[in-house]
Amino acid sequence: MNTNSNTYTFLYASVMVLIVAAVLSFTALQLKPRQNKNKEIEKKQAILKAVGVASTFADAEKLYDQYIVEAKIVNASGALISEDKEEAFGVDLKKENKIDLTDRKLPVFIFQNEAVGKKMILPVRGKGMWGPIWGYISMELDGNTIYGATFDHQGETPGLGAEISKPEFQKQFASKQLFDQSGKFIPLALVKGTASGHLHEFDAVSGGTVTSKGLEEMLLKSLGSYEKFLKSSK
């Protein structure tokens, strides 16, 4: 075959593309189990972080198994669906949020150790300015008072919306409440610089109003899904 012909060039390029595609596919398949394991460990770290327990990549699984004494799935009516710990951990909120609320699986993680006591941990997921935001809210057993919170994001602007992942922002959620004295669910409201001391408000990220509004909506929809379950815990 004439190596200078267009046909040769086309065939050569096609073969190379197929070889590269095959190598990339093989590499992706080989790496997928490790990537999935990394995501699993990161998720366990985030769950623990919601109650202030720091963990490393090396000890997160051990601490999770030690302190997450129970995990279950409930529905929007507060009824128990499953008490399988692994099943609850495997619930994908991204997929569940696309399902009608009445059919949605809502995971609940129960944490317990001597220093913190017993807490409930609820996952939350929503949309920021540039992509998804998510996190975990730890609750007192009264089903009303927030103990701690941790949030993360995929692509919010550094120094602005990305500040939701900083401890300085997250610590303000401790002691906030989800219900008023009459038992009515009160969504946590976004304000600018005046939330200190208010049970149902949080301060926006400076310069990150869109992300803060997204977080407000995330808390409304995600925690609102647990309203009946939380009321049954009171």
Side-chain angles (χ1 to χ4, degrees):
M1 180 180 290
N2 183 4
T3 58
N4 294 317
S5 67
N6 290 335
T7 301
Y8 177 85
T9 301
F10 176 78
L11 290 174
Y12 179 82
S14 298
V15 170
M16 290 304 297
V17 167
L18 290 173
I19 291 173
V20 171
V23 171
L24 290 176
S25 297
F26 176 78
T27 302
L29 287 173
Q30 292 296 106
L31 292 176
K32 190 171 182 60
R34 185 181 300 177
Q35 292 171 336
N36 289 340
K37 188 65 174 179
N38 290 346
K39 290 180 180 179
E40 179 183 316
I41 293 175
E42 288 173 358
K43 183 175 179 178
K44 289 179 178 179
Q45 286 183 289
I47 292 172
L48 293 170
K49 189 179 178 182
V51 288
V53 174
S55 61
T56 66
F57 199 79
D59 66 9
E61 290 189 292
K62 178 182 177 181
L63 293 175
Y64 179 89
D65 291 338
Q66 181 178 351
Y67 295 142
I68 301 300
V69 296
E70 180 186 352
K72 55 190 174 182
I73 301 172
V74 299
N75 61 22
S77 297
L80 180 67
I81 295 177
S82 171
E83 292 184 289
D84 187 289
K85 192 173 178 180
E86 290 187 9
E87 184 181 358
F89 183 83
V91 171
D92 185 343
L93 242 60
K94 180 179 179 180
K95 294 180 180 179
E96 293 300 318
N97 285 349
K98 297 177 182 179
I99 301 172
D100 187 82
L101 180 58
T102 56
D103 300 319
R104 202 171 296 170
K105 295 179 180 179
L106 305 173
V108 180
F109 303 94
I110 306 299
F111 173 95
Q112 186 172 12
N113 73 2
E114 292 183 3
V116 173
K118 199 170 187 179
K119 311 295 178 191
M120 297 184 293
I121 303 173
L122 311 177
V124 294
R125 186 179 178 89
K127 185 177 181 180
M129 183 173 184
W130 302 112
I133 57 176
W134 62 88
Y136 293 89
I137 305 293
S138 59
M139 303 285 304
E140 300 287 357
L141 296 185
D142 62 4
N144 182 28
T145 308
I146 293 177
Y147 177 78
T150 182
F151 305 114
D152 211 338
H153 63 93
Q154 180 171 298
E156 300 307 290
T157 307
L160 299 175
E163 294 298 299
I164 65 170
S165 63
K166 298 295 182 62
E168 292 76 14
F169 175 80
Q170 298 168 7
K171 68 182 182 181
Q172 68 173 310
F173 289 87
S175 300
K176 301 295 182 183
Q177 295 187 353
L178 303 182
F179 298 89
D180 63 16
Q181 292 183 345
S182 69
K184 180 182 178 181
F185 180 73
I186 305 293
L188 294 177
L190 166 70
V191 295
K192 292 185 178 181
T194 60
S196 180
H198 292 267
L199 293 176
H200 310 294
E201 298 177 348
F202 69 94
D203 287 325
V205 173
S206 177
T209 303
V210 175
T211 305
S212 298
K213 290 294 292 183
L215 192 143
E216 179 185 46
E217 184 177 2
M218 175 179 75
L219 296 175
L220 167 63
K221 292 183 177 180
S222 295
L223 295 179
S225 301
Y226 288 92
E227 179 179 353
K228 292 184 179 179
F229 167 75
L230 293 170
K231 281 184 175 179
S232 68
S233 302
K234 293 170 70 67

